Amino acid sequence: MRKKLIVLLLLAGFVWLGTGAITAPVNRYKNLQILPQDISEFKMDSIMNAYNRALGVNCKFCHIPLKTIPDSLDYASDAEPMKEQARRMMRMNIYINQTYFNFDKNERPEYLKTVTCYTCHRGDPFPEQ
Protein backbone atom coordinates (compact mmCIF):
# COMPACT_ATOMS: atom_id res chain seq x y z
CA MET A 1 0.00 0.00 0.00
CA ARG A 2 2.81 2.38 0.89
CA LYS A 3 4.59 1.75 -2.44
CA LYS A 4 1.41 2.57 -4.35
CA LEU A 5 1.07 5.84 -2.45
CA ILE A 6 4.69 6.79 -3.22
CA VAL A 7 4.25 5.96 -6.91
CA LEU A 8 1.01 7.93 -7.02
CA LEU A 9 2.65 10.96 -5.37
CA LEU A 10 5.61 10.76 -7.76
CA LEU A 11 3.29 10.62 -10.77
CA ALA A 12 1.30 13.56 -9.47
CA GLY A 13 4.54 15.48 -8.96
CA PHE A 14 5.68 14.77 -12.52
CA VAL A 15 2.33 15.86 -13.91
CA TRP A 16 2.49 19.06 -11.87
CA LEU A 17 6.06 19.79 -13.02
CA GLY A 18 5.15 18.98 -16.62
CA THR A 19 2.23 21.39 -16.70
CA GLY A 20 4.46 24.11 -15.27
CA ALA A 21 7.02 23.51 -17.99
CA ILE A 22 4.55 23.88 -20.86
CA THR A 23 2.54 26.78 -19.48
CA ALA A 24 3.36 30.02 -21.28
CA PRO A 25 4.92 32.65 -19.05
CA VAL A 26 2.58 35.48 -18.17
CA ASN A 27 3.77 39.08 -18.57
CA ARG A 28 6.85 38.09 -20.55
CA TYR A 29 7.03 41.61 -21.97
CA LYS A 30 7.52 44.72 -19.89
CA ASN A 31 5.69 48.00 -20.44
CA LEU A 32 3.06 46.79 -22.90
CA GLN A 33 0.37 49.46 -22.99
CA ILE A 34 -1.56 48.62 -26.16
CA LEU A 35 -0.87 44.99 -27.03
CA PRO A 36 -2.24 42.35 -24.65
CA GLN A 37 -0.04 41.15 -21.79
CA ASP A 38 -0.55 37.52 -22.83
CA ILE A 39 0.65 38.06 -26.41
CA SER A 40 2.69 35.18 -27.78
CA GLU A 41 6.27 35.64 -28.93
CA PHE A 42 5.20 34.64 -32.45
CA LYS A 43 2.40 37.23 -32.52
CA MET A 44 4.66 39.97 -31.08
CA ASP A 45 7.39 39.28 -33.65
CA SER A 46 4.83 39.20 -36.44
CA ILE A 47 3.32 42.55 -35.43
CA MET A 48 6.67 44.26 -34.95
CA ASN A 49 7.97 42.96 -38.31
CA ALA A 50 4.80 44.27 -39.97
CA TYR A 51 5.47 47.72 -38.45
CA ASN A 52 9.05 47.64 -39.71
CA ARG A 53 7.93 46.79 -43.25
CA ALA A 54 5.02 49.25 -43.27
CA LEU A 55 7.21 52.18 -42.22
CA GLY A 56 10.44 51.09 -43.90
CA VAL A 57 12.32 51.27 -40.58
CA ASN A 58 14.09 48.95 -38.16
CA CYS A 59 13.57 48.44 -34.43
CA LYS A 60 15.86 51.37 -33.50
CA PHE A 61 13.23 53.73 -34.85
CA CYS A 62 11.18 53.25 -31.64
CA HIS A 63 13.58 51.46 -29.27
CA ILE A 64 16.81 52.80 -27.77
CA PRO A 65 20.04 50.80 -27.40
CA LEU A 66 20.51 48.85 -24.18
CA LYS A 67 23.46 50.35 -22.32
CA THR A 68 24.67 47.13 -20.73
CA ILE A 69 24.62 44.81 -23.77
CA PRO A 70 26.09 45.97 -27.09
CA ASP A 71 23.88 45.61 -30.19
CA SER A 72 20.78 45.02 -28.04
CA LEU A 73 17.74 47.21 -27.57
CA ASP A 74 15.83 48.28 -24.47
CA TYR A 75 12.33 47.38 -25.63
CA ALA A 76 10.70 48.42 -22.33
CA SER A 77 12.14 51.94 -22.29
CA ASP A 78 9.97 54.91 -23.24
CA ALA A 79 12.98 57.20 -23.80
CA GLU A 80 12.47 57.34 -27.59
CA PRO A 81 9.58 59.75 -28.34
CA MET A 82 8.73 57.85 -31.51
CA LYS A 83 7.56 54.94 -29.34
CA GLU A 84 4.72 57.01 -27.90
CA GLN A 85 3.82 58.19 -31.39
CA ALA A 86 3.67 54.53 -32.44
CA ARG A 87 1.29 53.86 -29.54
CA ARG A 88 -0.98 56.69 -30.68
CA MET A 89 -1.02 55.24 -34.17
CA MET A 90 -1.76 51.75 -32.80
CA ARG A 91 -4.73 53.15 -30.84
CA MET A 92 -5.98 54.85 -33.98
CA ASN A 93 -5.69 51.63 -36.02
CA ILE A 94 -7.46 49.63 -33.33
CA TYR A 95 -10.26 52.20 -33.14
CA ILE A 96 -10.77 52.29 -36.92
CA ASN A 97 -10.72 48.51 -37.28
CA GLN A 98 -12.89 47.85 -34.23
CA THR A 99 -15.42 50.55 -35.11
CA TYR A 100 -15.76 50.02 -38.83
CA PHE A 101 -14.42 46.57 -39.70
CA ASN A 102 -14.81 44.23 -36.71
CA PHE A 103 -17.34 41.77 -38.08
CA ASP A 104 -15.81 38.81 -36.21
CA LYS A 105 -16.28 39.61 -32.53
CA ASN A 106 -14.05 36.65 -31.58
CA GLU A 107 -10.98 38.41 -33.01
CA ARG A 108 -9.12 40.69 -30.60
CA PRO A 109 -9.18 44.28 -31.89
CA GLU A 110 -5.38 44.52 -31.48
CA TYR A 111 -5.01 41.84 -34.13
CA LEU A 112 -7.41 43.17 -36.77
CA LYS A 113 -5.68 43.89 -40.06
CA THR A 114 -8.18 45.61 -42.34
CA VAL A 115 -6.57 49.02 -41.90
CA THR A 116 -2.88 48.68 -41.09
CA CYS A 117 0.12 50.97 -40.82
CA TYR A 118 0.89 50.19 -44.45
CA THR A 119 -2.49 51.59 -45.52
CA CYS A 120 -1.08 55.11 -45.11
CA HIS A 121 2.67 54.73 -44.68
CA ARG A 122 3.48 52.52 -47.69
CA GLY A 123 7.07 52.06 -46.53
CA ASP A 124 7.59 55.71 -45.52
CA PRO A 125 8.06 56.56 -41.81
CA PHE A 126 6.64 60.06 -42.39
CA PRO A 127 3.98 59.87 -45.10
CA GLU A 128 2.72 63.04 -46.71
CA GLN A 129 -0.20 64.63 -44.95
Side-chain angles (χ1 to χ4, degrees):
M1 179 67 174
R2 187 173 181 171
K3 287 182 181 181
K4 287 182 182 180
L5 181 61
I6 291 172
V7 169
L8 184 63
L9 288 173
L10 283 172
L11 284 173
F14 286 128
V15 168
W16 180 73
L17 287 172
T19 58
I22 61 171
T23 303
V26 178
N27 297 333
R28 158 191 333 219
Y29 300 104
K30 297 176 183 153
N31 198 17
L32 287 182
Q33 297 179 21
I34 308 295
L35 297 172
Q37 293 293 324
D38 64 347
I39 190 170
S40 70
E41 186 175 346
F42 175 80
K43 195 66 140 174
M44 177 66 88
D45 288 347
S46 175
I47 289 171
M48 292 298 137
N49 287 330
Y51 294 160
N52 287 345
R53 285 189 309 276
L55 277 70
V57 298
N58 62 32
C59 302
K60 291 180 183 179
F61 192 71
C62 293
H63 302 286
I64 64 167
L66 193 61
K67 294 176 180 159
T68 55
I69 304 172
D71 299 324
S72 294
L73 297 174
D74 186 353
Y75 295 106
S77 172
D78 287 332
E80 172 55 59
M82 206 44 76
K83 186 173 179 182
E84 188 53 40
Q85 178 62 25
R87 286 183 178 132
R88 285 192 289 275
M89 300 300 279
M90 291 167 72
R91 286 183 193 101
M92 179 188 70
N93 264 0
I94 290 168
Y95 173 78
I96 290 169
N97 283 316
Q98 189 174 25
T99 303
Y100 300 105
F101 301 105
N102 190 10
F103 301 113
D104 181 1
K105 299 300 182 191
N106 294 322
E107 183 75 24
R108 292 179 79 148
E110 300 90 351
Y111 301 153
L112 295 174
K113 294 185 264 182
T114 305
V115 172
T116 67
C117 302
Y118 191 78
T119 304
C120 297
H121 283 269
R122 306 255 184 225
D124 185 348
F126 303 103
E128 292 185 37
Q129 298 176 4

